Amino acid sequence: MATLRMGHGPSMERLEQAGHTVGGWVARYARFGYAARGVVYATIGVLAVKLALGYGGKATDTKGALVTLAQQPFSIVLMSLLAAGLVAFAAWRFVQAILDPEQKGRDGKGLVTRAGYFGSGILHVTLALSAVHLVTGAGAQKGRGTQGWTAELLSQPFGAALVALVGVGVMAFAIAQFRNAYTAKFREKLSLDRMTPTHREWAIRVSRFGLAARGAVFTLIGGFLLLAALRSNPNEAKGLDESLAVLADQPFGAVLLGIVALGLVAYAAYLFLQARYRRIVAP
């Protein structure tokens, strides 16, 4: 019996060590992914701030941000790192969706959350492919865009209802962003003990501002989708870049765009905070 226990102990230790190693790699990849997303959103926000201030800039989306970054010095290195980071984030989303390390569960709310993680993973795979195309000189990956897939949905039976359903889903996501900003529930997933109280308070304030700004942008996107469904007109649908452009065209548009743009920069800071301080629950 003693021999059996001696043989059993080391094998269990090896399994535990392997588990810690896998968990460590998952955490590293997840943090790398959050940082890559931060770079993308920082680019979107800075370009929008410059547009609001009248110093050039433009209203763009995530793929447009990659195109801008690809035009910078050392772009091959930068885009290669971004592509790897976006793949890492996609992988982390798939882990969250399939293995459920954060125990969202299998009830209705949990399944919706995990489905959202899976959809986010797919979106970041396509974004990573766009980055790869830019690195290899193939140019930005061209998709159908918001109006393209809206037109595709509208052409289906009950197409207007499908587009409306997507719009409602986007609006629900926006409300979740506002709620997270208001309650600051994101603090539960961050280890901020190493920060001074002042730095911790500012980190939370900036994060709340960033989440609220992202909620505002997705409110616009969801509203335009509902309008497209109501009018059965895909041209009414607008993505991130077009929604920012609409803001700029409003009365006091420069002010509105400037506030939202600074919020998107704040959201990038929130993602960098996630990369550094998030508690990663590995499977």
Side-chain angles (χ1 to χ4, degrees):
M1 294 297 293
T3 304
L4 287 174
R5 282 196 297 270
M6 288 176 63
H8 178 70
S11 64
M12 289 299 294
E13 283 184 12
R14 284 195 293 271
L15 285 173
E16 289 177 1
Q17 289 173 359
H20 287 310
T21 300
V22 171
W25 277 107
V26 169
R28 290 188 188 96
Y29 276 121
R31 296 187 193 286
F32 185 26
Y34 281 113
R37 287 190 77 215
V39 172
V40 173
Y41 269 93
T43 303
I44 295 171
V46 169
L47 289 173
V49 168
K50 291 176 68 177
L51 177 62
L53 294 176
Y55 291 110
K58 59 182 178 179
T60 191
D61 58 6
T62 51
K63 289 186 178 180
L66 291 179
V67 172
T68 299
L69 290 169
Q71 297 168 350
Q72 307 308 308
F74 307 105
S75 61
I76 293 179
V77 175
L78 176 60
M79 296 305 296
S80 297
L81 288 172
L82 275 178
L86 292 169
V87 168
F89 187 77
W92 167 237
R93 283 307 201 202
F94 290 139
V95 167
Q96 287 178 297
I98 299 169
L99 301 181
D100 194 22
E102 296 173 343
Q103 298 183 350
K104 297 299 181 181
R106 295 186 178 182
D107 59 3
K109 182 179 178 181
L111 290 175
V112 168
T113 301
R114 292 168 67 181
Y117 289 151
F118 193 84
S120 175
I122 293 174
L123 288 175
H124 283 86
V125 166
T126 62
L127 196 58
L129 288 174
S130 293
V132 170
H133 276 73
L134 289 165
V135 169
T136 58
Q141 193 179 29
K142 295 181 179 180
R144 289 179 294 180
T146 304
Q147 294 177 356
W149 63 255
T150 301
E152 182 68 25
L153 281 180
L154 286 173
S155 67
Q156 305 302 315
F158 306 104
L162 292 174
V163 174
L165 188 62
V166 174
V168 169
V170 173
M171 294 289 282
F173 177 78
I175 292 171
Q177 296 287 285
F178 284 128
R179 183 179 179 184
N180 199 9
Y182 178 73
T183 63
K185 193 175 181 180
F186 59 86
R187 287 180 296 186
E188 299 174 0
K189 296 181 179 180
L190 298 174
S191 299
L192 302 179
D193 297 339
R194 285 170 287 178
M195 286 186 170
T196 65
T198 300
H199 289 165
R200 184 162 55 245
E201 184 61 30
W202 273 105
I204 293 169
R205 288 178 181 177
V206 169
S207 298
R208 295 176 77 174
F209 179 37
L211 287 165
R214 194 167 184 240
V217 171
F218 275 91
T219 298
L220 287 174
I221 295 172
F224 285 127
L225 285 170
L226 291 175
L227 188 62
L230 181 64
R231 298 181 178 177
S232 295
N233 183 359
N235 293 326
E236 299 287 357
K238 296 188 172 40
L240 174 59
D241 52 345
E242 295 162 317
S243 296
L244 292 176
V246 167
L247 267 183
D249 289 338
Q250 303 307 306
F252 305 102
V255 176
L256 292 172
L257 179 62
I259 292 171
V260 172
L262 287 173
L264 291 176
V265 174
Y267 182 72
Y270 164 73
L271 290 172
F272 291 132
L273 197 70
Q274 295 273 324
R276 179 67 179 85
Y277 296 105
R278 183 182 172 97
R279 296 187 182 99
I280 305 294
V281 182

